[in-house]
Amino acid sequence: MPFFPKPAAVAKPAPAGVVVFSVNREILIDQSGRPPTVATCQALGLPLKDVLLAAEIGGMPCYSVQQLAPETTLPPPLQTTSLRAFLNRQSPAWRQAITRAVELSSWRMEHRFCGRCGTAMQLNPDDGALRCTRCGFESFPILSPAIIVRITRGDHEILLGRNRAFSTPFFSNFAGFVESGETFEDAIRRELHEEIGVEVTDIRYFGSQNWPFPHTLLAAFTAEYAGGELHPDGEEIAEATWFDVRSPLPPIPLPGSISRAMIDDFLAMQRAT
Ligand SMILES: [Zn+2]
């Protein structure tokens, strides 16, 4: 597990430390396919601004820095790559560290001014919050809870949906943000009712995953179908279909995502029986 210190400004980052530059939904990498080190950035003249220690993995610092403006000209061999695809290739520890670094840089960029009085915010080293220099209002790094649920019917069927927002068409479990005042179970029932018109029972916790799109803490659950006819809402869910997992499945999420882990878990149950 990575060590996550409180957000604190770093005046002299370690040369061997890894720097996570994000720009929109992309991340900066070097020719090795990894985020560049502090030494590489300095050698290439890429300025490091708002440096925070986001995480440490086995003594290796992972730094969060100010996001790059989309029009920034990158010095070769640095280039950007899809953050989503990059995270799916990482070990769980590096995925968490890089997710945290991306989330910290978005948090700083989006909370430069106090939401209460509009004055500039400053990082408070005592508690790792951004603090208003006038009224004292504090903002901590943002996390948005969301649920994702695997719905099965009997021993072999799984219900998967195709989201209209996916750039490449694939089928996945059903997910949504938790509304203010809701429990996870409430959010599951509401999302499934709104998006596909089904009810579930036997809701069980599966695991959780941080996901920096934009700062989501995904709580994953499994559930058994209990009733209702499939009515995809057509807005978020374009299509919802029962698949018998004894036959080949359509394209599903990439390994590394908790959605894929839940589907793989159901497939493993088939092999075990
Ligand atoms: Zn204020």
Side-chain angles (χ1 to χ4, degrees), residues 235-269:
E235 290 181 15
E236 196 166 339
I237 303 297
E239 190 181 348
T241 309
W242 287 104
F243 293 96
D244 186 320
V245 293
R246 290 168 295 186
S247 303
L249 287 176
I252 55 175
L254 293 172
S257 64
I258 200 157
S259 186
R260 174 60 177 264
M262 286 201 288
I263 296 172
D264 286 346
D265 174 71
F266 192 57
L267 293 173
M269 283 182 212

Side-chain angles (χ1 to χ4, degrees), residues 1-262:
M1 282 293 297
F3 168 63
F4 290 150
K6 276 183 196 162
V10 178
K12 281 197 174 176
V18 167
V19 185
V20 177
F21 276 100
S22 56
V23 45
N24 291 333
R25 289 175 162 239
E26 303 207 311
I27 183 172
L28 198 63
I29 54 170
D30 63 18
Q31 70 274 30
S32 69
R34 309 277 309 168
T37 61
V38 170
T40 299
C41 294
Q42 288 170 341
L44 294 171
L46 195 62
L48 306 179
K49 296 178 185 163
D50 291 343
V51 184
L52 300 181
L53 178 59
E56 275 182 3
I57 301 181
M60 170 73 81
C62 175
Y63 297 110
S64 157
V65 291
Q66 191 179 96
Q67 293 183 0
L68 287 173
E71 63 274 14
T72 307
T73 305
L74 295 173
L78 299 183
Q79 56 177 301
T80 56
T81 188
S82 155
L83 178 60
R84 185 182 290 267
F86 179 83
L87 287 173
N88 279 328
R89 293 194 297 269
Q90 306 305 307
S91 67
W94 275 102
R95 190 167 56 235
Q96 275 184 273
I98 289 165
T99 292
R100 177 168 167 83
V102 170
E103 289 180 353
L104 287 181
S105 59
S106 327
W107 166 62
R108 290 200 75 178
M109 185 182 72
E110 291 159 4
H111 294 81
R112 289 182 297 153
F113 299 98
C114 174
R116 192 191 273 163
C117 77
T119 305
M121 304 282 267
Q122 274 186 356
L123 197 65
N124 179 1
D126 294 337
D127 60 6
L130 287 169
R131 191 167 197 276
C132 175
T133 50
R134 180 160 174 253
C135 76
F137 175 74
E138 287 196 316
S139 159
F140 288 87
I142 308 296
L143 267 185
S144 301
I147 53 89
I148 183 163
V149 57
R150 181 189 78 194
I151 306 167
T152 53
R153 182 168 65 184
D155 293 335
H156 308 297
E157 284 186 295
I158 185 168
L159 183 60
L160 298 174
R162 184 169 63 78
N163 193 308
R164 283 173 62 101
F166 295 157
S167 51
T168 50
F170 66 96
F171 284 79
S172 186
N173 296 293
F174 298 91
F177 286 104
V178 180
E179 294 286 343
S180 174
E182 282 184 332
T183 63
F184 288 132
E185 292 82 356
D186 292 336
I188 289 170
R189 294 193 183 95
R190 177 185 49 74
E191 281 285 340
L192 296 180
H193 176 74
E194 287 174 359
E195 290 188 352
I196 46 172
V198 302
E199 286 104 52
V200 293
T201 185
D202 198 18
I203 296 172
R204 296 185 191 204
Y205 180 69
F206 180 86
S208 64
Q209 185 172 54
N210 261 273
W211 198 233
F213 304 101
H215 31 63
T216 307
L217 176 58
L218 259 181
F221 296 85
T222 61
E224 179 70 15
Y225 171 78
E229 278 188 36
L230 291 182
H231 284 297
D233 64 8
E235 290 181 15
E236 196 166 339
I237 303 297
E239 190 181 348
T241 309
W242 287 104
F243 293 96
D244 186 320
V245 293
R246 290 168 295 186
S247 303
L249 287 176
I252 55 175
L254 293 172
S257 64
I258 200 157
S259 186
R260 174 60 177 264
M262 286 201 288

